[in-house]
Amino acid sequence: MNAAGWCGMAATVLALSTATAQAETPRELLTRASFVDRDKSAALGRINTAFRAASIEVRDEPGDAEAELMQATALGYRAKLTGSRTEAVQARKQFEALVRRDPRNAEAQLALGAWHIGAVYRLGRLVGRAALGAQQPAGYAALDRAVALGGNRALFSGLAALLRLQMDPSDQRGRALAEDAAKAGTPTVLDRILQRAATQVLVPARAGNTDATKSLAARLLPFGQLPGES
């Protein structure tokens, strides 16, 4: 990572660290686990805390889309790190339920798309579909809907770009999305993280270095910083 990348990450860590003075929200906990933690046990501990907190919110406020999304995201993240097929399928079903209830929920569409593409990347198309119900076309379609619905925010185009370039470093749609993310709005910490990631992956992508593009995209995705997860 270059100096600009380190400065950006330092700023992110500082921003997230200030949240520890108060109780962190499930979203803050999951952001820290997926992009900042360098230890799998620490990441899992934070994910479990986020899952419990989101589950309490879901119980106390039925129909709260943010709480339900964070609960499903925590479940999916835990499944990724533990290899639980049961929890992976449960997370997919929860994302699907959120999308059915509100097809214009851009973050739910993004989460569903990321779930499909992540599962296909880890397991392959045939095994991913047979074991988990993961489908690459469904994943790309959900990502495209998320980008269309999300407006000019780096979160949507940036994450979609990394997922596509991880699968195929020559994907022109993926590169175009990264270019968009590099210029998009960054109203939240997650937007800033994904914009920096898109800017970084564009360096090898523009140079035509497919091997570097693929490996860097994998490292810049959630949990890519953990040993053995990229």
Side-chain angles (χ1 to χ4, degrees), residues 163-187:
L163 288 163
R164 282 180 171 273
L165 293 172
Q166 174 189 239
M167 292 292 292
D168 176 6
S170 299
D171 186 331
Q172 291 304 303
R173 170 67 171 157
R175 176 172 168 179
L177 286 166
E179 297 280 3
D180 289 343
K183 304 185 294 286
T186 55

Side-chain angles (χ1 to χ4, degrees), residues 17 24 56 137 174 210 220 223 227:
S17 296
E24 289 181 284
I56 290 171
T210 54
L220 293 170
F223 305 105

Side-chain angles (χ1 to χ4, degrees), residues 3-230:
W6 279 116
C7 289
M9 182 55 71
T12 298
V13 173
L14 178 61
L16 290 171
S17 296
T18 58
T20 60
Q22 303 173 345
E24 289 181 284
T25 66
R27 184 179 288 265
E28 289 166 341
L29 288 163
L30 294 176
T31 299
R32 186 189 294 272
S34 56
F35 289 107
V36 179
D37 282 333
R38 293 295 187 270
D39 176 79
K40 187 174 180 178
S41 295
L44 274 170
R46 226 177 291 279
I47 291 167
N48 288 333
T49 300
F51 179 76
R52 288 192 296 270
S55 296
I56 290 171
E57 291 177 13
V58 169
R59 181 197 67 195
D60 293 345
E61 297 289 340
D64 184 322
E66 167 72 5
E68 291 177 358
L69 180 61
M70 292 304 104
Q71 182 189 51
T73 301
L75 197 62
Y77 281 176
R78 190 164 67 191
K80 174 179 171 62
L81 296 186
T82 63
S84 170
R85 176 186 178 278
T86 299
E87 291 193 334
V89 172
Q90 186 178 346
R92 171 176 59 78
K93 290 180 177 178
Q94 288 184 227
F95 290 138
E96 289 171 342
L98 281 165
V99 167
R100 280 196 303 271
R101 195 171 76 203
D102 180 9
R104 298 192 62 79
N105 184 330
E107 289 197 352
Q109 293 280 7
L110 187 69
L112 179 60
W115 184 95
H116 277 285
I117 301 306
V120 171
Y121 178 76
R122 291 194 306 275
L123 301 176
R125 293 189 185 188
L126 294 179
V127 176
R129 181 165 187 166
L132 300 177
Q135 300 180 54
Q136 186 169 320
Y140 282 164
L143 292 178
D144 285 343
R145 286 191 292 270
V147 171
L149 292 166
N152 184 36
R153 285 183 56 189
L155 167 62
F156 300 101
S157 51
L159 186 59
L162 294 177
L163 288 163
R164 282 180 171 273
L165 293 172
Q166 174 189 239
M167 292 292 292
D168 176 6
S170 299
D171 186 331
Q172 291 304 303
R173 170 67 171 157
R175 176 172 168 179
L177 286 166
E179 297 280 3
D180 289 343
K183 304 185 294 286
T186 55
T188 72
V189 169
L190 272 174
D191 288 289
R192 293 190 287 275
I193 290 172
L194 270 302
Q195 184 173 77
R196 282 194 297 273
T199 301
Q200 288 177 262
V201 83
L202 278 172
V203 175
R206 287 168 175 165
N209 188 335
T210 54
D211 289 342
T213 299
K214 185 179 182 70
S215 62
L216 183 57
R219 287 201 305 274
L220 293 170
L221 281 164
F223 305 105
Q225 80 281 4
L226 295 180
E229 293 298 328
S230 62

